[in-house]
Amino acid sequence: MGEGAARDTWVRPDGRTVRYYHLDEPLPQKLSLAVVTGADTYVGRAVVQFLHGHGLPVAALSTAPLPLAVPRFVGTAGFGPAWEALLAAHEVHTVYHCTRQPAPGWGSSPTRRQEAEAWAVHVADTLALLARWDDEPPAVVLLSSAAVYGDGDPALVAENRPLAPDSAYGHSLAAAEALVADFAPRHVILRLFEVVGPDHVGRVADSPETPWTQLTRGQAVTTVPERTDYVALDAVVTALASAGQHLIDGGAPLTLNLGTGVATDPAALAAAFSVPVPPTFVGKGLVADMSRMRSAWGWVPPAPPLPALARASRAALAAEALAHD
Amino acid sequence: MINLVADPLTGDWVSLADARQQRPLTAPGESTCPFCPGPASEVGSPPFHVAVFPNRYPVFDSPGAAEVVVYSPRHQDDLGYLTPAHARLLWEVWGERSHALAARPDVETVFVFENRGRRIGATIDHPHGQIYGYPYVPPRLAQERRARHAACPLCQVENWAVVIAESPEWQLVVPHAMRMPYQSVLVPRRHLDGLGALSREELANGAAMLQQAYRAYDHLMGFRASLAMGVHQAAGGHLRLECLPIERGQMRQKYLAASELVMGAFVTDIPATVAASRLAAAFRAASLPSASSRDLADLTDLKEPES
């Protein structure tokens, strides 16, 4: 044995001998960092950028390449080998769990396969993620959705409203919330009420086929009705980051609504873009009651994002649309 | 009950160890890992860096031997990311146990190995390897002996493989006739027949290069690559450590199928030179454990050639 190595033995009750070898040096501490799952989603990517930009150690789990200089592991939130590589070298203090889109083309009439994919993404991946840790898992910030409330009265929705999902998407997200609440004592669940966007150039959520790109192309808006209201990307990212900080500071588990708290007026939308908005372009009517979010950590919901959208360059929007052609 | 059965067609031995059906299969995160220290654990509770014990579910048990080597008390550790001193200690333990088992009259061949990752067959996630003391000469070693080379091919390794990294003591190579995509072999420059013959410098450098090779595979794939690692030790032979990953690209697995399983004829679809080039880049990028998670996967073109 080399210098500093020692050994001893123990005879087990079943007669087998265990030989121990040890060094003088203790096992090293690993670098502790935050992990963003679904880091190639629209929100996940922005969260990685935000944390990295603030000098916080962060790693990304994604299936697609990222144009970001952060450690990336290839896989979904439920892919064991990605976690094994990550945890071999790092500790994890917080997981920002941004579930990926269940399947391309998800809309108001999902296929059975798409519905099954929603369960796989929300439930199977979340369970596999939480099961990585023998003991208590790290703090978890789950980005959920108002879909867990289902369609309802067009009124303010507070967090104590009973869940009544009416789609596989909503049901599976509600199940993911239950898993997080059960397995991760330190958690914040944020229920997102509106499609995320715009960012600084006016992009909205993951799909290039948004009302905005369609409008810039002069096409009819064919999007699903939910997409009348938008919460600014920066707002979502800062809400997620502040949720993580809340948990690092020892804050209690929380489930909060996240949105603008204000329904967008279709007339204002039309005025912002100087184009007519079809009558189908109307929201579901669920509006987040943001009072609890405000009281939880003083996060102020943004104003309706239309002014920001209106400021976005039409040229940038058109370029974005063309880039996806 | 362990039975050794000889195949009269080939002369190969097969070990039938039906008690292994009872061995535990721990899912990720299960609290019943038998290798995590604790009162009910296989390793007990004392502190350790490396622990060795006879396998509770052995493939061989007099004649022959089967031992488990637990690399670390920490469940999430991995050979590629241990400290250099810890990795050296592991190699010393391998050498010591190899020597001890080889001295037994009922052991013909000692084989140190690791099945890394569940997808290649590891039933327990805790970082560990095994040592078999075969009571016979295993088929591949017998095949090599029958080949009767005039000169040791590994002493002129450039003729046998593409060199992707080297040090004064070792060369890491990709064989021209690789059996699995991204197969690599760590070969000492000196013709040594076992781990116990390594000098202190050779051991330290070899341990570091094997760790870097492990990390290189992770770089290449973007996740912990599943692979089989085995140490060839035989009297008069040329020591080598062989890594056989099952990944043929990101999220793509190479399966052993009819040609490999029935005929023993391996088929690969990546030229050795291409694999060597990619692995060499990954090896350079994996020089430090702290760089282990850098996303080389994005920098390396893993697209398969159009067929």
Side-chain angles (χ1 to χ4, degrees):
Chain A
M1 293 289 122
E3 288 178 20
R7 72 181 88 185
D8 47 65
T9 60
W10 170 52
V11 180
R12 292 178 47 87
D14 61 13
R16 291 179 295 143
T17 298
V18 183
R19 292 177 168 80
Y20 302 106
Y21 305 84
H22 29 99
L23 301 168
D24 284 340
E25 67 177 32
L27 293 170
Q29 290 286 315
K30 297 178 180 180
L31 174 68
S32 185
L33 44 65
V35 175
V36 179
T37 71
D40 45 353
T41 64
Y42 187 68
V43 175
R45 189 166 54 234
V47 173
V48 174
Q49 269 178 315
F50 180 88
L51 297 175
H52 181 62
H54 284 75
L56 301 170
V58 58
L61 245 68
S62 71
T63 52
L66 295 174
L68 302 171
V70 300
R72 182 176 81 94
F73 298 86
V74 176
T76 62
F79 185 57
W83 282 106
E84 287 160 8
L86 198 162
L87 293 172
H90 304 290
E91 300 280 355
V92 176
H93 59 72
T94 308
V95 176
Y96 295 90
H97 188 25
C98 303
T99 57
R100 62 194 162 97
Q101 288 296 307
W106 182 276
S108 54
S109 302
T111 63
R112 298 277 291 171
R113 189 185 67 79
Q114 288 172 325
E115 289 185 339
E117 177 75 0
W119 285 94
V121 166
H122 293 145
V123 178
D125 278 4
T126 301
L127 185 59
L129 181 160
L130 295 168
R132 294 303 318 169
W133 287 271
D134 276 340
D135 305 320
E136 184 181 318
V140 175
V141 179
L142 171 67
L143 187 60
S144 184
S145 160
V148 297
Y149 294 118
D151 277 323
D153 299 331
L156 285 178
V157 178
E159 287 84 356
N160 61 0
R161 177 165 169 163
L163 301 188
D166 55 9
S167 65
Y169 187 86
H171 277 291
S172 57
L173 262 178
E177 287 190 2
L179 287 171
V180 168
D182 268 3
F183 287 93
R186 294 179 299 131
H187 68 265
V188 171
I189 296 167
L190 296 174
R191 291 174 178 152
L192 190 59
F193 271 63
E194 287 128 356
V195 172
V196 179
D199 67 2
H200 61 286
V201 293
R203 283 176 300 204
V204 179
D206 289 297
S207 170
E209 294 301 330
T210 65
W212 316 112
T213 51
Q214 289 174 317
L215 286 168
T216 56
R217 291 173 181 172
Q219 297 170 339
V221 174
T222 55
T223 187
V224 292
E226 292 94 317
R227 293 193 171 178
T228 52
D229 299 338
Y230 294 85
V231 58
L233 180 63
D234 283 352
V236 176
V237 170
T238 54
L240 282 158
S242 56
Q245 188 62 50
H246 167 80
L247 294 169
I248 289 169
D249 292 342
L254 288 171
T255 298
L256 299 170
N257 291 338
L258 174 60
T260 61
V262 180
T264 304
D265 176 4
L269 180 70
F273 279 86
S274 306
V275 291
V277 176
T280 55
F281 196 45
V282 174
K284 290 164 68 173
L286 290 183
V287 178
D289 176 355
M290 298 302 297
S291 57
R292 191 151 177 261
M293 174 71 99
R294 269 193 291 269
S295 63
W297 56 64
W299 185 82
V300 179
L306 283 177
L309 264 181
R311 284 196 299 273
S313 157
R314 293 291 296 264
L317 287 169
E320 180 75 10
L322 288 171
H324 288 288
D325 278 345
Chain B
M1 185 69 179
I2 300 169
N3 286 313
L4 288 178
V5 184
D7 182 342
L9 276 177
T10 62
D12 292 347
W13 289 95
V14 174
S15 175
L16 176 61
D18 56 0
R20 286 177 59 77
Q21 291 283 356
Q22 310 303 319
R23 68 192 194 276
L25 179 74
T26 56
E30 243 180 49
S31 59
T32 53
C33 173
F35 299 162
C36 281
S41 162
E42 289 284 277
V43 294
S45 300
F48 67 88
H49 281 71
V50 177
V52 182
F53 51 88
N55 197 324
R56 180 190 287 263
Y57 305 96
V59 170
F60 308 105
D61 185 15
S62 194
E67 295 189 340
V68 175
V69 184
V70 175
Y71 297 169
S72 167
R74 287 200 300 212
H75 190 86
Q76 309 280 20
D77 278 349
D78 181 274
L79 188 157
Y81 304 85
L82 301 175
T83 65
H86 197 155
R88 288 196 297 273
L89 175 66
L90 178 62
W91 275 52
E92 288 170 352
V93 172
W94 284 344
E96 181 187 289
R97 294 312 303 156
S98 296
H99 181 74
L101 294 178
R104 282 175 42 168
D106 61 334
V107 170
E108 185 68 36
T109 307
V110 176
F111 181 49
V112 175
F113 68 96
E114 178 184 2
N115 291 318
R116 187 195 197 218
R118 190 163 288 254
R119 294 190 303 153
I120 202 165
T123 52
I124 294 171
D125 294 328
H126 197 110
H128 74 285
Q130 298 184 65
I131 305 177
Y132 282 176
Y134 293 104
Y136 54 83
V137 178
R140 186 158 182 82
L141 184 53
Q143 196 177 5
E144 288 180 17
R145 286 180 179 171
R146 282 196 300 271
R148 293 180 182 281
H149 300 287
C152 171
L154 298 182
C155 287
Q156 296 293 327
V157 77
E158 292 85 355
N159 297 331
W160 179 71
V162 182
V163 178
I164 61 173
E166 51 191 339
S167 73
E169 295 88 10
W170 294 84
Q171 289 173 299
L172 182 65
V173 302
V174 170
H176 292 301
M178 60 181 184
R179 286 171 291 139
M180 296 287 277
Y182 303 108
Q183 175 186 357
S184 69
V185 185
L186 186 58
V187 186
R189 289 183 187 273
R190 287 203 298 149
H191 187 104
L192 308 169
D193 63 5
L195 292 165
L198 293 170
S199 69
R200 183 176 292 272
E201 291 72 24
E202 286 168 331
L203 185 146
N205 187 247
M209 285 186 75
L210 182 66
Q211 285 194 288
Q212 193 168 341
Y214 268 46
R215 296 195 301 269
Y217 283 119
D218 295 351
H219 272 268
L220 197 58
M221 300 304 158
F223 49 81
R224 194 173 80 149
S226 294
L227 57 85
M229 188 283 295
V231 184
H232 291 256
Q233 304 182 87
H238 196 136
L239 170 70
R240 66 186 192 270
L241 294 90
E242 190 168 358
C243 291
L244 291 148
I246 59 168
E247 326 289 355
R248 61 183 178 88
Q250 284 181 10
M251 316 297 276
R252 292 175 181 166
Q253 187 170 336
K254 160 72 177 174
Y255 291 97
L256 297 186
S259 181
E260 291 87 356
L261 292 174
V262 180
M263 297 304 290
F266 282 76
V267 177
T268 56
D269 49 10
I270 301 173
T273 49
V274 174
S277 167
R278 293 170 179 168
L279 201 51
F283 188 86
R284 287 191 296 273
S287 59
L288 293 172
S290 59
S292 60
S293 49
R294 188 68 57 79
D295 190 10
L296 185 84
D298 287 347
L299 308 177
T300 307
D301 179 13
L302 284 174
K303 287 178 185 170
E304 311 251 340
E306 296 293 331
S307 56

